[in-house]
Amino acid sequence: MQAEPTTSLVGEEYEVEIGPVAHGGHCIARTAEGQVLFVRHALPGERVVAKVTEGEEGARFLRADAVRILEASKDRIEAPCPFAGPGRCGGCDWQHAKPGAQRRLKADVLAEQLRRLAGLTPEEAGWDGTVVPAEGDKLPAGEVPQWRTRVQYAVDAEGHAGLRRHRSHEVERIDHCMIAAPGVSELGIEKHDWAGMESVEAIAATGSQDRQVILTPRPGGRLPLVELDKPVSVMRVDEKAGGVHRVHGRPFVRERADGRTHRVGAGGFWQVHPKAADTLVTAVMQGLLPRKGEMALDLYCGVGLFAGALADRLGDKGAVLGIESGKRAVEDARHNLADFPRVRIEQGKVESVLPRTGITEVDLIVLDPPRAGAGRDTVKHLASLRARRIAYVACDPAALARDLGYFGENGYRVRMLRAFDLFPMTHHVECVAILEPAEKGI
């Protein structure tokens, strides 16, 4: 039997009352007929005209933009960035909200995810309900922190650099990104011709003057002869082989955190906010309280940020095992931690490598999994190691809450949770949860 054709509702407008914030940078509303709308560029309590951007009749929900504000929230401001707004750059979700309101929205999302997916109230999670700004980011409304030390620009068909529009491959041309760190802005990426390129990533290291530009050509595209405003290393991504090749300069940047310098190879992961690495190391170490001589795991360890912090505090008789899937990141981690003889870094997926180690118990665990989280099976294995404390670093509140629920099923409770606004103007929030065996009591 042939399915009935559906009618697109893209472009339809509805006058709606905006309800609570939802995970993902939008708020929830309903049409007069009861259809659910996920509305961007709105704030809770507002009355707006919402224009549908995605969806069709009979869909579970529609996506929409608030294109006219009929009754504004007291938390609304005019977006400082000229490229923000409906149909424009998709990088920032909350340009139209006061900085304090942005953090309250993120706190509301985190609280809702904890309640729905982990069955935890903020009090049960040891969380005071606040999202804390990074040092130096508490600015008046209308002022924007310049925090993004890594910016990936898309390139349009004419060779102009810009940023992707929300849920789109279309490029919004820009002449400046307001949240870019000064070290990125000074490269002047936006004013050069990048014809033949698919994307241009600009990196400004923290704690060193290292600057790097990573070019991804379109199929058949040649590297442009561009002289940037500052000396940089230039890398080329070979999409077919998946490799990153040096064109000019060092194949890495040097990032500084926790009193140590870390080599981060081209395309490798490092926290984007200049204060993030130190902020997270401090939160993790304060939560774990490492003791001399203990054994620790650092899972999804990247270039060894937490492994190095642990090794430094565990002393000569302590030991750390790091596990990381990325080959280049493992090479960097081994280089960064070469002065710690009792640190070992293994390459592979955590769920594959950890069982092969034969480890049956540890004292401490740090895990900083990708956005999807660690998952039920990995959490079950970690719980079986009976660590006295576990630090879970998360960039996605839904994945965090799911995994905290799994830890609860396996005999661990959340002792403390802290939330940090390390991605101002966006919906993202970074969390550190400290867990311990439930039998220790409340």
Side-chain angles (χ1 to χ4, degrees), residues 141-201:
E143 291 190 30
V144 178
Q146 299 171 317
W147 58 271
R148 195 167 188 94
T149 61
R150 294 169 179 242
V151 178
Q152 182 151 352
Y153 298 86
V155 179
D156 66 17
E158 284 76 47
H160 298 282
L163 299 170
R164 299 280 184 197
R165 293 173 181 166
H166 182 61
R167 294 176 62 84
S168 171
H169 292 293
E170 292 185 29
V171 178
E172 178 75 20
R173 291 186 186 180
I174 65 171
D175 55 32
H176 176 64
C177 176
M178 292 190 74
I179 64 173
V184 169
S185 297
E186 70 187 12
L187 295 176
I189 300 296
E190 299 93 338
K191 66 185 183 183
H192 290 289
D193 180 3
W194 300 103
M197 295 298 102
E198 181 73 33
S199 66
V200 179
E201 183 177 6

Side-chain angles (χ1 to χ4, degrees), residues 285 288 290 296-298 306-315 320 364 366:
M285 296 304 132
L288 292 181
L297 296 177
D298 181 11
F306 295 116
L310 284 165
D312 190 49
R313 290 156 176 84
L314 296 178
V320 182
L364 302 172
V366 179

Side-chain angles (χ1 to χ4, degrees), residues 192-306:
H192 290 289
D193 180 3
W194 300 103
M197 295 298 102
E198 181 73 33
S199 66
V200 179
E201 183 177 6
I203 298 171
T206 300
S208 78
Q209 291 301 308
D210 291 354
R211 304 290 182 262
Q212 190 174 78
V213 172
I214 301 177
L215 304 174
T216 303
R218 299 180 187 275
R222 294 185 175 183
L223 292 182
L225 296 174
V226 174
E227 190 169 328
L228 292 165
D229 296 2
K230 294 284 181 178
V232 295
S233 64
V234 179
M235 313 298 292
R236 179 188 190 278
V237 177
D238 183 345
E239 287 197 294
K240 287 185 179 178
V244 183
H245 311 286
R246 178 170 54 177
V247 175
H248 170 75
R250 293 190 187 96
F252 58 84
V253 294
R254 294 164 296 181
E255 301 277 3
R256 188 81 180 162
D258 194 41
R260 297 177 57 80
T261 297
H262 301 76
R263 186 182 81 181
V264 183
F269 174 78
W270 187 259
Q271 291 288 342
V272 176
H273 194 294
K275 299 291 184 181
D278 278 324
T279 297
L280 296 174
V281 166
T282 298
V284 167
M285 296 304 132
Q286 287 178 344
L288 292 181
L289 298 175
R291 301 167 185 164
K292 297 292 185 183
E294 288 189 314
M295 163 66 183
L297 296 177
D298 181 11
L299 308 179
Y300 317 93
C301 71
V303 300
L305 172 65
F306 295 116

